Amino acid sequence: MRHLSLLFIVLLSLSIFCFTLLPPRHDAFSVLYVIVIFLVSQAASRHVIKLIACLCIGLSVFSFSLVHRDDIVHGPYTRLALSIFAILLVTLLALRNQRITEALAKQKRILAHADRMLTLGYLSASIAHEINQPLTAIRTYAHSGVRWLKKTEPDLTEALHCFGSIEKNSQRAESIIGNIKNLAQKKSGIPEQISVHQIIQESCDILKNEISNKKINVIFNPSGQDIQFCAVRIEIQQIFINILMNAIQAFKESIPNNFIHIRVYDMTDRENFFAIHVVDNAMGFIEATPENIFDAFFSTKQNGMGLGLTICKGIIEAHGGRLIAEHNKLKGAKFIIQLPKHVS
Amino acid sequence: MFHKIPKEQNLIVILDDDKDVQFSLDSLLRSVGFTTFIFSSTDEFLTTPLPPQACCMLLDVKLGNVNGLDFLEEMAQRGLTLPVIIITGHGDIPMAVRGIKSGATDFLSKPYKDTVLLNAIADSLEKWRNNQESQEKKKQATDYYATLSQREKEVMECIISGLMNKQIADRLGISLITVKIHRAHIMKKMHAQSLADLVRMSEYLNLHNKEISRYKNK
Ligand SMILES: Nc1ncnc2c1ncn2[C@@H]1O[C@H](COP(=O)(O)OP(=O)(O)OP(=O)(O)O)[C@@H](O)[C@H]1O
Ligand SMILES: [Mg+2]
């Protein structure tokens, strides 16, 4: 794909160059190099744009010297100057555009990071509990290891088992901390192959304490074939965590018939797309509509930032997908995530 | 602490949904001579009959979707009596109060020191044994009391309120001889060695009647 567009740009520059030399040998065509710069600026970095601009100016001057080699002194220099001026102007605009796009992307990253930190804040009690479990096991094993060894007839097998378990539990604590670090990191990482089932399961695991506190029955039966797609892991995880977290927060009571239903399937009406439904039977949209919930800073929660869904929608659309909210038929809310299987 | 763990009362029930915590507790308790019976869920616990050696239960507050404190109340309703030590990751005071009110003998927060846990178990067992003894005495007293006739019950009420035979005879409108006969029967039927014995038993039965007094009635 990249190579193809590069080839196209090279061919375009060459044909403009040839155009200026072909009869009637009109070097005014040099102004067409702005198209090259415009195309390059869509994908390339700033350095490349500058390089290409220099090349285009070089080519213009070169073709000018070729066209007017009989009478180089009296050539139409104004025309050349105008071409070069046009090229410079477009380059400048392209560079500026790029800077703004980059700044915007950076702001988005910062916002997404802030949102993840907010999630970690919500989860702090659960995280503490999750780390406390292996810590408790480690401490208890340490004590019992000593007791097995201090017996009048020391039991080495039992003591060794204690030490092994201490090692195992410290790994468990480490992996929890690793997960938090992943969520807390600023960079969002590079795209990788992702299993949809696995990432949904992981997101549910991260929220498992919140889920059990509200006595929610999460129904996710990964039936059929798993769908693999290419995306930035942490971004996709953020989508699920935000949508699930919203659903969890929408349950006001902890009662046993609370449920969240997650379903993954291939879309029949859109080729190469798959969809994920997240349905809950909580309070549904109150003081909110399925449209305005995506507005930035719209929140009906006391200490909500109102960024969760804005960010989800942004990530999904950047992947070429769609995020839709609906009232669920009987009670609650329904979120539909549509994503292409192959994201370039 | 545990100089000798009696064979007939050496089984500790562990109800916790975390495998690692379960097994670490198992190792610690076995290292001091207990045996353990591990459950991961309340359903599993309710459907398995407990062996008679069970003497104490360690109950985690977080058991998946079930709250351990709710379960403690359910246990009481089902008549499951066993000293219960509540173990929690993030104990606060209201939680502790609720736990103790629902009949828990102790409340520990994770991670705990081994000695703290083992002390809590020892205390629970002791408290439980005392409680068990008084329960037994109460049951015995109730059984004996049930064998008394209506008249004997009336006479007993008067005796434990401190009335003298003469006063009892006057109060109930019977002869002194009859009172004495009733009195002898009561002592025999209640298996009481002395008046003090009888009074102690009446305490278990909650018989004391404030209306009757040796002095007021004069
Ligand atoms: N499952 C749901 N059920 C009911 N209302 C929902 C649900 N999901 C979202 N909403 C509504 O949409 C609003 C916006 O959600 P969003 O995630 O963008 O922000 P927030 O949850 O309020 O705050 P933040 O996620 O930044 O902490 C919520 O305040 C809530 O009113
Ligand atoms: Mg939210």
Side-chain angles (χ1 to χ4, degrees):
Chain A
M1 192 67 199
R2 264 191 93 102
H3 292 292
L4 264 177
S5 50
L6 199 71
L7 192 70
F8 176 73
I9 283 165
V10 171
L11 280 177
L12 188 69
S13 323
L14 279 179
S15 33
I16 294 171
F17 182 68
C18 296
F19 238 62
T20 54
L21 295 184
L22 286 173
R25 294 159 63 94
H26 224 322
D27 59 301
F29 282 120
S30 293
V31 82
L32 291 181
Y33 285 121
V34 296
I35 303 175
V36 174
I37 291 167
F38 177 75
L39 289 177
V40 167
S41 75
Q42 298 300 306
S45 71
R46 255 181 291 171
H47 283 300
V48 177
I49 297 175
K50 282 182 197 160
L51 195 77
I52 298 287
C54 292
L55 271 173
C56 289
I57 293 172
L59 281 175
S60 311
V61 174
F62 187 40
S63 56
F64 180 85
S65 66
L66 287 180
V67 171
H68 302 284
R69 65 174 159 229
D70 314 331
D71 187 11
I72 193 85
V73 186
H74 295 102
Y77 279 101
T78 343
R79 213 149 64 198
L80 177 64
L82 273 177
S83 288
I84 292 175
F85 178 70
I87 292 171
L88 282 177
L89 197 69
V90 170
T91 309
L92 223 65
L93 284 176
L95 287 176
R96 219 175 106 171
N97 189 19
Q98 194 110 45
R99 235 193 335 266
I100 292 171
T101 316
E102 270 168 24
L104 205 65
K106 194 174 168 202
Q107 291 300 325
K108 271 193 185 158
R109 274 203 306 277
I110 291 174
L111 223 53
H113 180 247
D115 179 63
R116 289 200 298 272
M117 297 307 284
L118 206 67
T119 307
L120 280 180
Y122 289 139
L123 296 179
S124 58
S126 308
I127 293 168
H129 176 259
E130 277 305 296
I131 295 182
N132 211 11
Q133 295 292 89
L135 222 54
T136 303
I138 288 172
R139 189 159 186 191
T140 312
Y141 273 124
H143 289 311
S144 78
V146 170
R147 281 176 189 272
W148 287 115
L149 290 178
K150 274 195 180 162
K151 278 181 177 292
T152 27
E153 275 176 56
D155 193 327
L156 293 184
T157 322
E158 290 282 2
L160 280 176
H161 171 73
C162 291
F163 293 129
S165 304
I166 288 173
E167 151 84 35
K168 203 182 104 206
N169 277 285
S170 63
Q171 274 175 14
R172 180 178 162 193
E174 240 170 67
S175 92
I176 297 165
I177 292 168
N179 280 343
I180 300 166
K181 268 193 186 157
N182 276 343
L183 269 180
Q185 71 184 359
K186 277 222 171 67
K187 290 197 303 266
S188 55
I190 47 166
E192 57 186 294
Q193 199 70 14
I194 291 174
S195 141
V196 177
H197 287 170
Q198 193 194 338
I199 202 150
I200 292 177
Q201 199 56 59
E202 279 173 11
S203 309
C204 291
D205 283 348
I206 289 176
L207 299 173
K208 79 169 189 241
N209 276 299
E210 278 45 48
I211 290 171
S212 66
N213 282 345
K214 291 267 174 86
K215 294 195 167 53
I216 301 168
N217 195 2
V218 175
I219 308 159
F220 172 49
N221 300 322
S223 60
Q225 214 172 354
D226 186 17
I227 295 169
Q228 303 267 339
F229 74 117
C230 186
V232 179
R233 181 167 210 89
I234 191 169
E235 291 184 347
I236 303 301
Q237 193 161 58
Q238 194 169 6
I239 297 173
F240 289 117
I241 290 181
N242 277 343
I243 291 179
L244 288 172
M245 193 75 199
N246 279 344
I248 294 166
Q249 288 168 336
F251 287 105
K252 290 292 164 250
E253 280 180 299
S254 306
I255 44 171
N257 58 343
N258 290 348
F259 74 75
I260 296 176
H261 197 161
I262 307 172
R263 203 158 65 89
V264 184
Y265 60 94
D266 276 314
M267 287 180 73
T268 44
D269 48 343
R270 261 182 111 178
E271 214 184 319
N272 256 330
F273 266 71
F274 67 96
I276 301 151
H277 284 201
V278 180
V279 180
D280 64 63
N281 68 341
M283 62 172 186
F285 302 111
I286 300 175
E287 304 163 45
T289 67
E291 291 80 35
N292 70 4
I293 54 169
F294 296 109
D295 294 345
F297 302 112
F298 174 84
S299 174
T300 57
K301 293 165 198 167
Q302 209 154 40
N303 38 19
M305 271 238 285
L307 279 181
L309 288 176
T310 318
I311 286 165
C312 289
K313 201 177 169 87
I315 296 172
I316 291 171
E317 283 172 0
H319 283 84
R322 289 213 294 162
L323 175 61
I324 305 160
E326 286 174 5
H327 294 287
N328 190 28
K329 273 193 208 90
L330 293 171
K331 186 176 177 241
K334 177 177 188 176
F335 283 85
I336 304 167
I337 302 162
Q338 300 177 350
L339 278 171
K341 283 185 198 165
H342 308 290
V343 184
S344 56
Chain B
M1 193 179 338
F2 299 104
H3 301 293
K4 230 171 90 217
I5 297 168
K7 266 261 156 14
E8 62 280 4
Q9 289 266 291
N10 66 350
L11 185 84
I12 307 246
V13 178
I14 300 171
L15 182 49
D16 193 312
D17 67 340
D18 191 296
K19 284 268 175 287
D20 290 314
V21 175
Q22 278 176 6
F23 292 142
S24 65
L25 276 172
D26 170 66
S27 174
L28 178 66
L29 292 174
R30 281 187 303 107
S31 76
V32 294
F34 283 111
T35 53
T36 60
F37 202 0
I38 301 177
F39 298 98
S40 298
S41 74
T42 51
D43 286 342
E44 201 186 327
F45 174 75
L46 289 175
T47 50
T48 315
L50 279 188
Q53 298 95 304
C55 61
C56 182
M57 175 170 176
L58 305 179
L59 175 65
D60 189 26
V61 172
K62 266 187 88 67
L63 296 161
N65 279 9
V66 178
N67 181 317
L69 294 175
D70 290 345
F71 183 66
L72 189 60
E73 281 163 14
E74 193 185 328
M75 274 176 71
Q77 278 163 14
R78 285 169 180 258
L80 287 170
T81 50
L82 194 67
V84 175
I85 297 173
I86 299 257
I87 296 180
T88 171
H90 43 280
D92 47 17
I93 290 174
M95 205 190 251
V97 169
R98 191 178 154 209
I100 300 295
K101 270 194 179 157
S102 322
T105 50
D106 219 325
F107 195 88
L108 298 182
S109 65
K110 288 181 200 171
Y112 33 74
K113 216 170 138 50
D114 58 344
T115 45
V116 172
L117 176 75
L118 295 174
N119 275 331
I121 293 177
D123 285 352
S124 293
L125 292 186
E126 171 136 14
K127 246 188 256 170
W128 187 251
R129 231 166 264 144
N130 290 342
N131 192 12
Q132 206 74 352
E133 251 164 50
S134 58
Q135 288 287 332
E136 247 159 54
K137 281 194 181 142
K138 181 174 174 179
K139 186 171 178 303
Q140 210 167 39
T142 318
D143 287 349
Y144 293 154
Y145 186 68
T147 63
L148 298 187
S149 71
Q150 188 54 40
R151 183 56 99 188
E152 282 164 352
K153 282 180 186 170
E154 284 168 21
V155 173
M156 178 165 165
E157 212 171 68
C158 296
I159 297 173
I160 58 166
S161 302
L163 263 61
M164 289 178 296
N165 287 353
K166 177 88 186 43
Q167 290 172 308
I168 299 173
D170 287 352
R171 189 184 162 87
L172 300 178
I174 50 179
S175 70
L176 195 58
I177 292 288
T178 324
V179 173
K180 281 187 176 162
I181 293 171
H182 280 314
R183 193 174 184 131
H185 281 167
I186 291 168
M187 295 301 277
K188 201 166 159 210
K189 282 184 176 174
M190 292 297 292
H191 294 76
Q193 307 297 322
S194 61
L195 183 62
D197 240 11
L198 193 69
V199 172
R200 213 170 298 131
M201 275 190 222
S202 70
E203 224 110 88
Y204 290 123
L205 298 169
N206 234 340
L207 280 187
H208 194 72
N209 185 345
K210 285 214 180 71
E211 299 271 291
I212 310 172
S213 152
R214 183 173 188 164
Y215 306 103
K216 204 168 66 189
N217 274 30
K218 263 200 163 169

